[in-house]
Amino acid sequence: WATLNHCWGPNPTFVRLTESNVNAFRANLSLDILPPTCRDAVTFCQSLGLEFLWIDSLCILQEGYSSNDDWLLHSKAMCRIYSITLVKIA
């Protein structure tokens, strides 16, 4: 898999994973709604034949009742996620 590191800035306005959209994203996440950085990363991974791409804003709940629990769960795994990735996109 690949990982994407991208700058969010102080007040991110791009689409992120939340409790309100998690089910819709699981069913179908359209590339059209993603910011250019994420779309470019997907295209790059496809060109390399990589099937998985970790983007923290889309893999960890960013808002909602259980977002803190989700962050705690994934933050423990992030060192491993980033250390064994095949490609790091920054």
Side-chain angles (χ1 to χ4, degrees):
W1 71 74
T3 54
L4 172 64
N5 296 329
H6 61 109
C7 182
W8 289 32
N11 298 306
T13 59
F14 57 88
V15 66
R16 293 166 289 144
L17 183 67
T18 66
E19 283 194 29
S20 64
N21 64 20
V22 66
N23 290 328
F25 281 13
R26 285 181 181 149
N28 180 33
L29 177 58
S30 172
L31 293 180
D32 296 336
I33 67 169
L34 298 179
T37 301
C38 295
R39 287 195 310 265
D40 291 346
V42 169
T43 301
F44 178 68
C45 288
Q46 289 172 334
S47 74
L48 295 176
L50 295 175
E51 191 173 352
F52 299 102
L53 171 60
W54 171 271
I55 303 174
D56 57 358
S57 59
L58 298 174
C59 293
I60 302 172
L61 287 172
Q62 304 299 316
E63 292 178 14
Y65 177 74
S66 60
S67 62
N68 190 47
D69 292 338
D70 201 48
W71 169 253
L72 290 174
L73 174 73
H74 285 94
S75 65
K76 293 175 185 174
M78 286 174 101
C79 181
R80 185 173 85 62
I81 290 167
Y82 283 96
S83 68
I84 63 173
T85 185
L86 183 62
V87 176
K88 295 177 184 90
I89 305 167

